[in-house]
Amino acid sequence: MAQDPSETRTRSERFALLALPHLDAAFNLARWLVRSEEDACDVVQDSYLRAFRAFDGLRGDIIRPWLLAIVRNTSLSLLARRGERAKEVPYVEDEHDEPDRQADPELIAMRTQERGRLDAALRKLPVEFREVIVLRELQELSYREIAEVLAVPAGTVMSRLSRARSRLATILQQD
């Protein structure tokens, strides 16, 4: 039974309208989990394809937690396939930011150094802690949204986030 082309276009347009604004968040999460920009691109592409295929099952228009859950699962599947032997490719945030032309060069250097330390410390965290930090602190998801993405109770999110922050602080103190 063939689908009406107007329904397909409407479905595609609706998906694009809801999902494309979260492309950066999806890439950022994938990059932090798989630790490679090239692999993150593949994960996001595969995730968006999976999301489009399952789009009819989505209830409502709140797509971000659902989409990030797909990105997370796709990332974890990739890590499992390669035995968590992720190729580490550093992500240089400054290459993607507009330079602050009015800031003091010394301040810029200090920020860059601190950002590098934080990035290195995050990469040392296990995936379960890294993902919760990224979702909360970088993606600014609520505990409820993180619970949806990870498919765990909100209490687990809070305890995991607390342990992740504690480990991150320990790593930063050691460096």
Side-chain angles (χ1 to χ4, degrees):
M1 177 186 259
Q3 233 181 354
D4 179 7
S6 65
E7 288 179 19
T8 304
R9 186 176 65 241
T10 303
R11 179 177 179 264
S12 297
E13 289 172 352
R14 184 169 174 259
F15 180 79
L17 181 70
L18 294 174
L20 290 182
H22 305 294
L23 192 58
D24 287 341
F27 176 76
N28 193 34
L29 177 61
R31 182 183 52 83
W32 275 110
L33 294 179
V34 299
R35 296 181 280 190
S36 161
E37 288 191 36
E38 184 178 300
D39 288 341
C41 288
D42 292 342
V43 164
V44 170
Q45 183 176 1
D46 189 30
S47 297
Y48 268 70
L49 182 59
R50 290 176 187 205
F52 183 72
R53 287 180 183 151
F55 188 59
D56 292 332
L58 177 68
R59 293 185 197 118
D61 287 344
I62 300 176
I63 195 171
R64 188 175 185 191
W66 176 77
L67 183 61
L68 292 179
I70 294 170
V71 171
R72 175 189 181 259
N73 292 336
T74 305
S75 297
L76 295 180
S77 294
L78 175 67
L79 291 174
R81 278 194 309 272
R82 68 179 182 204
E84 182 41 86
R85 289 184 308 267
K87 180 177 77 175
E88 197 166 302
V89 176
Y91 180 78
V92 182
E93 189 77 29
D94 293 333
E95 292 177 0
H96 305 284
D97 285 345
E98 282 293 316
D100 187 1
R101 300 188 197 290
Q102 298 175 353
D104 176 22
E106 184 178 352
L107 183 59
I108 292 172
M110 288 173 43
R111 284 182 190 158
T112 301
Q113 183 180 15
E114 284 301 308
R115 187 178 298 137
R117 280 187 68 230
L118 183 59
D119 286 354
L122 277 170
R123 284 192 300 272
K124 291 179 183 178
L125 288 174
V127 172
E128 70 178 5
F129 292 147
R130 194 168 56 238
E131 70 185 356
V132 75
I133 290 276
V134 168
L135 290 170
R136 179 67 183 143
E137 304 302 338
L138 301 179
Q139 300 300 325
E140 299 178 350
L141 266 62
S142 68
Y143 293 133
R144 183 186 55 76
E145 290 172 322
I146 296 170
E148 287 178 41
V149 170
L150 303 181
V152 297
T156 301
V157 169
M158 289 185 272
S159 65
R160 197 175 288 174
L161 186 57
S162 175
R163 290 189 318 226
R165 287 175 175 156
S166 176
R167 270 209 187 167
L168 186 61
T170 301
I171 292 168
L172 287 169
Q173 287 173 353
Q174 291 172 351
D175 290 343

